[in-house]
Structure formats: C-alpha cells, structure tokens
Amino acid sequence: MIGREILYISNDNILELFLKYGCLRKEVKITITEKCNIRCEHCYMESGPECNSLISDEHIDKVFESLDSSWGMSIFGGEPTLYPEKVLRIANNCREKNMYFNIFTNGWWGTNEKMVKMMKEEIRPNLIIVSISEYHKGIDTKNYDQIFEIFKDDPDICVMFNTMIGHEGPYLQTLIDRGVKGMCDRLE
C-alpha cells in the first residue's frame, strides 16, 4: 500500500533545504544494495541480511553520464552504508556535478567511529535520513543519539529522522525534545 508522508519541520535551515533541493529538482533514486543488517516487517524493499545484490561501479558511473546540477540524488538500500565505498563513489560523482544528494539509512553506524568519520568528513551528504522504528530492535538508540549529536550543529548536513506513525516507540519524543531539525512520518 502506498502511504502518504507528513513532514514536520522545526528549523528554517531544513525548510530552505527542501525548498531549494527537495521539491524543486529532478531526482534520481539509486539503490546500492538490497542487503540490510536487520529485517524490518515494514520494509517495502524486502531487504535483509540474506540479500546479496550490489550495484557495480560501472553502473554508478553510467547513471552520472547524463546528469547535471539540475538533478538531485537519493541513495537507498537495503542499508547503503554497509558498502561505504559505493556511497563514497556516488558522493564524489555528485560533488563533481554539483548535485544535491541525500542518503536513507537505519543508523547502525552511529557508534562506529570509522563510519561516522567517513560520513562526516568524506561522504558529507546534504541530508541524512535516519529511519527509526520499533522494528529496528537490532539497533540501539545510542546510534541515533550519536548521529544527532555529531551533526546537530553542522551547517552543511541536515539530519532527519524518518518513522512510521505508531511504530516509532518512545524514542521519537526524546528527539523532538532535544531539538531535532526535522521529522518525516510515513502514514499507512
């Protein structure tokens, strides 16, 4: 079933980001892999640990041949950050073309120093959309806390938390109370 989305914006910077890039640009959505480190009941990609698909470097480069700065890029998975070298290849292509890009992630990497450093210093997407849910039982909220703390004052990277109404658990309110920049709820 296709749902509808409600976007809560609590910060002018993220509103500007959506007005500048999110709603006005053509967008390419690229799925790096269907592999994910967890299996969520609500996953419309049917991703999970047993999935083995992985996009080739040649395919990534081919996608960018016909794109320019009027395009935006959304990076999806499974869990794209399981393959940081692929994410970095896409990020570098986006920067070469002066393209906006965002990444959808379950946030498993929030307490992984190497991956946090790579995300903050090398990948540097315009927007990180972290999916949180009671279904993410394998991911400790410390990961989300860390992501929030690391990027909350970064003027170039916005972090949003994406959830499904009724499936976010009590953690959602703690993010709102701490001043999260934006929240996107998916209604079924």
Side-chain angles (χ1 to χ4, degrees):
M1 173 188 240
I2 296 176
R4 104 189 146 131
E5 293 184 14
I6 297 178
L7 179 65
Y8 294 97
I9 297 173
S10 59
N11 180 297
D12 289 342
N13 292 342
I14 201 161
L15 178 58
E16 287 176 24
L17 182 80
F18 269 85
L19 291 175
K20 184 175 181 182
Y21 297 114
C23 301
L24 303 177
R25 291 199 172 197
K26 301 173 280 188
E27 182 180 43
V28 174
K29 296 179 180 182
I30 193 165
T31 300
I32 292 176
T33 183
E34 290 174 343
K35 186 175 192 72
C36 188
N37 52 332
I38 57 177
R39 173 167 295 288
C40 298
E41 294 174 32
H42 68 278
C43 181
Y44 64 87
M45 295 292 291
E46 298 181 9
S47 299
E50 72 287 348
C51 297
N52 292 315
S53 65
L54 183 62
I55 194 169
S56 69
D57 290 345
E58 294 78 23
H59 188 83
I60 291 171
D61 295 342
K62 185 79 172 158
V63 167
F64 282 93
E65 285 178 8
S66 60
L67 300 179
D68 60 28
S69 63
S70 68
W71 287 86
M73 174 71 65
S74 288
I75 304 170
F76 286 91
E79 177 51 46
T81 61
L82 293 176
Y83 299 97
E85 70 284 352
K86 300 289 183 184
V87 175
L88 185 57
R89 185 178 198 93
I90 293 168
N92 288 336
N93 272 290
C94 286
R95 276 190 284 279
E96 265 181 39
K97 302 267 185 169
N98 196 28
M99 291 172 56
Y100 158 88
F101 73 102
N102 62 50
I103 186 167
F104 286 78
T105 178
N106 64 28
W108 71 269
W109 49 269
T111 56
N112 179 304
E113 281 185 47
K114 182 179 177 185
M115 192 61 212
V116 166
K117 182 177 180 179
M118 187 173 194
M119 190 69 82
K120 183 150 180 78
E121 296 177 9
E122 297 176 60
I123 295 172
R124 297 198 56 77
N126 300 94
L127 177 63
I128 301 170
I129 302 166
V130 183
S131 177
I132 64 171
S133 155
E134 66 185 15
Y135 295 117
H136 293 174
K137 291 177 176 36
I139 299 179
D140 192 310
T141 57
K142 289 178 193 169
N143 292 301
Y144 307 139
D145 291 338
Q146 189 71 7
I147 291 169
F148 177 78
E149 288 302 319
I150 288 167
F151 294 103
K152 73 177 182 183
D153 296 322
D154 190 317
D156 299 320
I157 301 176
C158 287
V159 175
M160 286 185 64
F161 291 87
N162 184 33
T163 187
M164 292 174 61
I165 291 177
H167 298 286
E168 68 280 350
Y171 185 69
L172 173 64
Q173 190 59 50
T174 66
L175 289 171
I176 293 169
D177 293 345
R178 291 169 66 197
V180 70
K181 292 179 183 176
M183 182 72 63
C184 182
D185 287 338
R186 186 148 194 84
L187 299 175
E188 294 186 81

